[in-house]
Amino acid sequence: MNTRRKFLKDTAFATLGIGLSHHLSLAQTFNPSGTNLVSQTANPWIELSANAYLKNVQLISKMAQNKPIMAVLKNNAYGLGDVQVAQILDQSAHIAGFALVKDERCLALRGNGVSKPILLMGDFNEDLGMDLVNNAIALSAFSLESSNKIKKLASESNKEVLVELYVDTGLGRMGMPYSKGIGWIKELVATPNVKITGLFSTLTTPEDFARTQIQRFSNIIGQLKDNGILPSRLHMAPSLSLLDLPESHFNTVRPGILLHGTYPLSKMDQAKNVPLQPTYRLKATVIRMEKLRKGDTIGFSRFYKVEADEWIATLPIGWADGYYSGAENGAKVLINDTLYKVVNVNASHCNLSIGPEKSVVVGDTATLIGPDRPEITPEGFGKLAGGHNYLQIQYKESIPKFVHDEFL
Ligand SMILES: *Cc1c(COP(=O)(O)O)cnc(C)c1O
């Protein structure tokens, strides 16, 4: 099997969570001949910088007075590869563990050698219950039903079931409503084979209400203390509160988007103050270059009208791959040190205006998102595209991920 095919196969397996080496998949491992295999692909790809991730979590922990981090890798680590990102962060002393919302993805992390604690913040399929216990995945008790499911599992298991208590302090979506008191927790604690490893909640964004939630959370901790119950891990702060609200840090913080060097919505300007680095590059190869004439149009809806003869490049990435369609409102793409404007995005392709000179050729590599220029960082892109920077939440799992020690 040639190296390129082997890499794609491994990547596909990692995505499915089928057991594989847990070593960092360094790009050069798959490129022994030194040829640029990546840029030959007709499909877009993502490059991750292990170094950028490790530096970011060091800074994030520092922002939280050196508290450890439960790294939220839900939704395939916001489209960037949950297994790949977990394998990188598994090496960091600042990472307490990983939090995901799908049972199968928790197992995929373990199956790929991730050794730190893993928390399932969502429900689990009963068929997978024993697998989760055997892989030391902490389950969330977030309702009476889920609590009963956990008790049943504990009665059938000969191993301890790790459990974190998920309390709803006001999100209204997940967790046991705090108004229900702690009776359900006492019952869980008294269940043989159940080991409570944490207590957590989810904050909302309005600061005054977040403060109310913090009080409710503290109140529950107080009641548990009075009953001699002391879950070791206490956490409720996502990225926004991590930056904004030190009272919400408790003994562990729980960011998602910050890990990738991207700032939560209203904090997009913090990029200037807190030097996190974007951890990834989204890339694609130019597959078509044609000169369009004045009056020509691009797209099914004839969205873009050519005002004067110009070269138009086509990239094989569109909104079905998770590239934000609003990019056609003015986002830029970097090719050979020059920024070009995105003029149309459809399901599978996007087009760039290159100008009157043919300064780009088929086979050139384009960087759509990356740390290289302010215009193409997630924040810069968000601003130009008239959107926000949680957009990478959508990158499709099928986009291959290449892990590098650091960006070249
Ligand atoms: C998504 C999520 C987070 C992380 O949110 P960010 O804004 O990406 O930091 C934390 N906790 C829960 C329960 C989440 O669903």
Side-chain angles (χ1 to χ4, degrees):
M1 196 184 315
N2 76 30
T3 316
R4 166 85 186 142
R5 289 220 332 265
K6 179 176 182 316
F7 177 81
L8 289 175
K9 182 169 161 282
D10 286 357
T11 306
F13 279 178
T15 306
L16 294 170
I18 295 164
L20 260 188
S21 145
H22 63 275
H23 298 295
L24 272 188
S25 40
L26 300 175
Q28 51 270 41
T29 310
F30 300 98
N31 190 8
S33 64
T35 51
N36 193 351
L37 294 167
V38 169
S39 69
Q40 290 169 9
T41 181
N43 301 312
W45 71 96
I46 286 171
E47 295 172 1
L48 303 175
S49 160
N51 203 14
Y53 274 108
L54 295 170
K55 280 194 178 147
N56 282 351
V57 294
Q58 196 173 2
L59 278 170
I60 292 167
S61 173
K62 213 166 155 193
M63 285 184 243
Q65 295 78 44
N66 298 316
K67 299 210 167 119
I69 297 166
M70 270 311 261
V72 175
L73 301 184
K74 68 183 180 199
N75 308 340
N76 195 28
Y78 295 170
L80 296 168
D82 51 10
V83 165
Q84 290 86 350
V85 175
Q87 286 177 337
I88 295 167
L89 294 182
D90 212 27
Q91 312 165 63
S92 169
H94 304 287
I95 297 292
F98 303 101
L100 290 85
V101 292
K102 297 266 194 289
D103 48 10
E104 284 154 354
R105 298 317 302 164
C106 291
L107 290 169
L109 259 54
R110 268 296 178 261
N112 284 282
V114 170
S115 64
K116 287 190 192 276
I118 298 173
L119 166 64
L120 171 59
M121 298 193 293
D123 197 11
F124 65 94
N125 187 328
E126 280 195 297
D127 295 346
L128 294 179
M130 223 43 98
D131 252 2
L132 293 163
V133 174
N134 289 332
N135 282 286
I137 312 290
L139 306 174
S140 290
F142 60 86
S143 63
L144 268 186
E145 291 83 356
S146 65
S147 206
N148 289 336
K149 223 159 122 180
I150 287 170
K151 284 182 203 159
K152 180 164 171 266
L153 187 59
S155 72
E156 292 162 356
S157 164
N158 45 26
K159 269 199 177 153
E160 259 184 341
V161 180
L162 307 179
V163 177
E164 292 216 16
L165 309 163
Y166 194 165
V167 177
D168 182 3
T169 53
L171 183 74
R173 178 192 300 156
M174 270 299 273
M176 187 72 95
Y178 83 105
S179 57
K180 300 230 162 141
I182 64 161
W184 67 282
I185 297 180
K186 288 202 242 171
E187 277 181 32
L188 259 180
V189 169
T191 306
N193 253 352
V194 164
K195 185 180 178 194
I196 307 294
T197 55
L199 173 77
F200 70 108
S201 187
T202 298
L203 284 169
T204 59
T205 46
E207 195 174 311
D208 53 342
F209 190 61
R211 288 184 193 282
T212 304
Q213 290 186 274
I214 292 168
Q215 269 177 6
R216 292 172 177 175
F217 195 63
S218 304
N219 189 290
I220 289 190
I221 295 170
Q223 289 180 55
L224 291 180
K225 262 192 193 145
D226 292 345
N227 284 271
I229 303 167
L230 285 170
S232 57
R233 205 166 287 296
L234 308 168
H235 49 104
M236 69 185 325
S239 298
L240 182 78
S241 324
L242 192 153
L243 294 169
D244 257 9
L245 208 57
E247 305 93 298
S248 71
H249 294 174
F250 289 87
N251 67 20
T252 303
V253 288
R254 204 178 64 228
I257 200 157
L258 278 181
L259 305 168
H260 313 288
T262 294
Y263 298 81
L265 296 180
S266 59
K267 294 281 148 187
M268 273 168 52
D269 288 337
Q270 291 251 354
K272 292 184 215 103
N273 313 329
V274 194
L276 297 176
Q277 320 176 33
T279 53
Y280 72 102
R281 285 197 183 116
L282 174 67
K283 290 186 167 182
T285 304
V286 175
I287 59 164
R288 178 184 186 261
M289 271 293 290
E290 289 298 336
K291 192 166 193 177
L292 268 60
R293 305 197 184 284
K294 179 174 164 48
D296 286 348
T297 62
I298 303 175
F300 292 130
S301 65
R302 311 194 73 195
F303 175 79
Y304 182 71
K305 293 183 178 53
V306 176
E307 305 285 348
D309 294 7
E310 63 174 322
W311 287 91
I312 297 290
T314 301
L315 300 178
I317 180 169
W319 51 256
D321 300 295
Y323 185 59
Y324 178 54
S325 61
E328 66 191 12
N329 296 322
K332 304 240 164 107
V333 164
L334 188 66
I335 305 176
N336 303 329
D337 291 328
T338 304
L339 290 165
Y340 297 100
K341 213 169 149 191
V342 180
V343 293
N344 190 216
V345 179
N346 79 353
S348 317
H349 298 106
C350 69
N351 294 103
L352 312 175
S353 163
I354 303 301
E357 302 300 326
K358 194 184 179 191
S359 51
V360 165
V361 295
V362 167
D364 279 352
T365 298
T367 306
L368 296 101
I369 305 278
D372 313 271
R373 296 289 174 87
E375 291 87 346
I376 62 167
T377 63
E379 285 70 38
F381 173 82
K383 273 183 196 151
L384 291 175
H388 55 72
N389 61 349
Y390 275 73
L391 301 167
Q392 74 269 32
I393 248 168
Q394 332 173 45
Y395 295 138
K396 287 289 146 69
E397 241 177 82
S398 54
I399 299 181
K401 322 293 184 298
F402 294 83
V403 180
H404 296 261
D405 279 342
E406 43 197 313
F407 284 134
L408 305 170

